[in-house]
Amino acid sequence: MLGGTGEARRLAALLDADPGFDVTSSLAGRVARPALPAGQVRIGGFGGAAGLAEWLRTERIDAVVDATHPFAAVMTDAAVVAAGSVGLPLVVLRRPGWTEGPGDDWRRVPTLEAAAAALPGERVFLTTGRKDLAPFAGDASRWYLIRSVDPPEPPLPPRAHEVLERGPFTLDEELALMREHRIDTLVTKDSGGGLTSAKLDAARELGIPVVMVDRPPLPPGVVPAATVDEALARLTLGIGGA
C-alpha cells in the first residue's frame, strides 16, 4: 500500500487484522515523525515507476493500493504504470473532494500559480503544504500565515509567520487562529475529508473567501474507490478498480 493518509492507516489496520492479507505500507518520508500504520512499513521512494515495478516483483506482491494524498499525482501515475507492467490489480483509494455549500465564498483555481495570482485579501492563511510555497514567494505586499507539520521549505514570502502544528484542528481552534492573525483569505488544496475541513467551516463563519486549488486529474481509465470499505471490498474480491 502506498500510504500516508488517514484512509491508508484505516485500511492498513483492517488488512493487518485479517489473516488473509499481509500488508506492507510505503511512506514517502517527507514528514519527520509520520503516523505509522499497522503492519510492515517501508519509508522512502522507489525511483519512479520502474523502481516500483522491480520492488513489486522482488517482494512478490499480489495487489497494489494507492492511498496517497489526492495531490500526489506523480506517485499515482507511477503506481498505474508499475502495476500495469507487472500485471497486478490496482485499487486507487481517493476520498471525495469538498463541496461548496450555502454561505461559502470559494474561488476555484487549477494550480497553485493560479492561486497566487488570484488572492483577494492582504492577510493570507496558507495551508497548501510546506513544499508548495514557491508560487507565493515573490509577493512582498501581503502577509502570510503558513501552517505545516515540519518547517516549510524556502523560498517563502518575505512577510510570513510560521506555525508548526499537526492536525486535526477543531472549529474553535481554527476560528481562534484566524481571528488572532486577522486572516482575510484562506488558500488550500481540495484534499477532501473531515480531518482538515474545520478551516473551511471557520472561513464560512468569518465570511472569509477561500481560494481552492483543484485536484490533478487521475490517470485515464482509473475509477477510484471513494471509501476504505469500498477499497477493502475490491481487494477481497480481487477487483483492480480501473
Side-chain angles (χ1 to χ4, degrees):
M1 174 153 28
L2 305 171
T5 60
E7 290 84 5
R9 291 189 291 274
R10 292 199 294 274
L11 181 56
L14 292 172
L15 293 173
D16 188 58
D18 188 329
F21 290 99
D22 182 11
V23 60
T24 298
S25 295
S26 177
L27 307 180
R30 295 179 178 176
V31 178
R33 296 180 299 277
L36 297 180
Q40 301 179 63
V41 178
R42 70 174 300 279
I43 297 178
F46 294 95
L52 175 56
E54 181 59 29
W55 186 86
L56 295 173
R57 293 188 188 96
T58 300
E59 298 297 321
R60 296 184 295 173
I61 300 298
D62 297 315
V64 180
V65 177
D66 171 24
T68 55
H69 192 274
F71 281 79
V74 172
M75 190 68 252
T76 297
D77 290 345
V80 171
V81 173
S85 68
V86 182
L88 297 181
L90 170 67
V91 175
V92 176
L93 173 55
R94 283 290 183 278
R95 58 182 177 258
W98 288 312
T99 302
E100 187 174 5
D104 286 326
D105 179 8
W106 291 7
R107 293 96 186 275
R108 285 195 173 272
V109 294
T111 64
L112 287 164
E113 289 75 15
L119 296 175
E122 299 298 327
R123 297 183 66 83
V124 182
F125 185 16
L126 274 182
T127 63
T128 57
R130 69 187 185 96
K131 292 178 175 287
D132 295 317
L133 304 175
F136 306 90
D139 185 2
S141 64
R142 294 178 178 84
W143 183 89
Y144 287 86
L145 176 64
I146 300 171
R147 183 171 67 193
S148 59
V149 177
D150 293 324
E153 293 188 359
L156 307 180
R159 301 172 60 209
H161 176 70
E162 302 169 18
V163 175
L164 303 183
E165 292 180 329
R166 185 193 298 271
F169 305 99
T170 67
L171 173 59
D172 286 342
E173 289 171 337
E174 298 290 51
L175 286 170
L177 183 67
M178 293 186 192
R179 285 171 173 151
E180 176 187 357
H181 295 286
R182 295 179 287 115
I183 298 300
D184 60 18
T185 301
L186 171 65
V187 180
T188 192
K189 297 175 177 178
D190 188 6
S191 301
L195 292 179
T196 59
S197 64
K199 60 192 173 188
L200 301 175
D201 299 330
R204 182 190 311 116
E205 185 166 326
L206 296 174
I208 293 172
V210 177
V211 180
M212 181 74 68
V213 182
D214 286 330
R215 296 178 175 189
L218 288 170
V222 171
V223 178
T227 66
V228 170
D229 288 343
E230 183 181 349
L232 181 61
R234 291 189 185 185
L235 286 172
T236 302
L237 296 172
I239 298 174

